[in-house]
Amino acid sequence: MTDIACLATELDEAVRNVTAMAQLSATVPLTLDQAYEVQRAGVSLRCDRGDAVVGVKLGFTSKAKAIQMGVGDVIIGVLTASMRIDDGGEVDTHRLIHPRVEPEVAFRLGDDIDPHDPRADPRSAAVEVAPALEIIDSRYRDFTFSLEDVVADNTSAARFAVGPWQSLAEVSSGLDLANLGVTLDIDGDIAEIGSTAAILGHPLHALTAVARMARRYGLPLPAGTIVLAGAATAAVPLPTTPGTCVTAAVTGLGRASVTMGQRHD
Ligand code: 0L1
Ligand code: MG
């Protein structure tokens, strides 16, 4: 029998000890449902230590990444308060294994989404939108994993920062969210250029996908939930030199930035 708690503890210790581990799938045949159980158990371990769930994130939302991974659907992970960095705040790079960073669009829910209500349009629950940065940090060696591995590892979720929130209604009245220019820059040098179109063709589609995944895997989506919709460009290695600034800029939405903190060797 697959020991879900044991696998979750192994991943949790990799996070806490900042040490990469072997893929679970190398030794344990995991189904996707079991992988989500491991993810849930890992989030519970965090919450037992006083952390709190603040949001969800999607992965594999770009066609390029889905093809690269050979997957036909998005994956969902959970964001907790301890992963959050204030806009402009410092990243504790010494607590991360081999982090990468990607520019995203974030939504905040103004109402609960009931994933079981077939009449509800999950998109209408989102009231605010913001530019965001996600720092992913696979707990597996060489950032190499199967679909089940990465789901068990909470979709590589590690840190995130959200820029200034704006009213989604106001933004949508003047801008086409479906195709906004996105840049990721490091100390002012552009590292990646993309478009919000890379996020499922339209970032608002992420809300429908989140509701579908929440229904399947039993995730609550209360008002206040932050939704990271997905990456608009490829992820790049997070610089670790203290003081380096990484910024995501989304046309019409603004910017979200983080700065690398001092090393603690
Ligand atoms: O947020 C993401 O798009 C990452 C999903 C997990 C895959 C990865 O770690 O690259
Ligand atoms: Mg992401």
Side-chain angles (χ1 to χ4, degrees):
M1 209 180 78
T2 307
D3 189 337
I4 301 292
C6 190
L7 299 180
T9 300
E10 221 182 304
L11 279 158
D12 190 58
E13 282 175 0
V15 174
R16 281 149 60 90
N17 298 330
V18 199
T19 309
M21 58 182 269
Q23 292 175 60
L24 297 180
S25 61
T27 47
V28 189
L30 266 188
T31 66
L32 192 56
D33 284 350
Q34 286 171 327
Y36 275 105
E37 281 181 54
V38 174
Q39 183 190 115
R40 248 196 318 265
V43 172
S44 293
L45 289 174
R46 282 175 169 272
C47 292
D48 290 348
R49 291 195 292 270
D51 210 348
V53 173
V54 295
V56 292
K57 58 158 282 190
L58 289 179
F60 302 153
T61 46
S62 85
K63 225 178 229 161
K65 190 95 168 243
I67 291 169
Q68 185 195 349
M69 282 300 293
V71 297
D73 202 359
V74 299
I75 54 176
I76 192 164
V78 175
L79 303 171
T80 64
S82 69
M83 298 177 189
R84 186 165 192 170
I85 301 170
D86 289 340
D87 186 21
E90 280 197 355
V91 186
D92 49 348
T93 51
H94 63 290
R95 299 299 315 157
L96 301 169
I97 303 168
H98 39 202
R100 298 177 182 176
V101 62
E102 53 194 23
E104 302 225 0
V105 169
F107 294 105
R108 190 154 55 185
L109 303 186
D111 291 312
D112 301 352
I113 291 179
D114 175 1
H116 300 286
D117 180 353
R119 289 161 311 165
D121 178 358
R123 290 171 300 184
S124 63
V127 290
E128 288 176 303
V129 62
L133 281 166
E134 187 188 12
I135 296 171
I136 52 176
D137 191 29
S138 174
R139 268 53 72 164
Y140 302 114
R141 257 172 237 137
D142 305 320
F143 231 105
T144 302
F145 39 72
S146 69
L147 175 66
E148 292 77 17
D149 285 324
V150 71
V151 165
D153 186 24
N154 196 18
T155 67
S156 307
R159 302 284 185 276
F160 69 99
V162 180
W165 291 107
Q166 296 188 57
S167 151
L168 178 58
E170 277 172 34
V171 166
S172 303
S173 69
L175 280 178
D176 183 6
L177 266 188
N179 189 13
L180 301 177
V182 178
T183 56
L184 179 68
D185 77 57
I186 299 176
D187 275 347
D189 293 330
I190 291 184
E192 290 288 333
I193 297 180
S195 160
T196 54
I199 306 167
L200 293 173
H202 193 309
L204 280 174
H205 292 164
L207 294 159
T208 315
V210 157
R212 179 168 55 77
M213 300 300 275
R215 180 167 60 244
R216 192 176 303 164
Y217 297 110
L219 292 169
L221 295 171
T225 295
I226 294 168
V227 175
L228 284 189
T233 74
V236 304
L238 184 76
T240 50
T241 308
T244 306
C245 181
V246 177
T247 301
V250 184
T251 306
L253 295 189
R255 304 153 81 81
S257 298
V258 291
T259 299
M260 300 315 118
Q262 295 302 313
R263 284 206 192 93
H264 296 254
D265 297 324

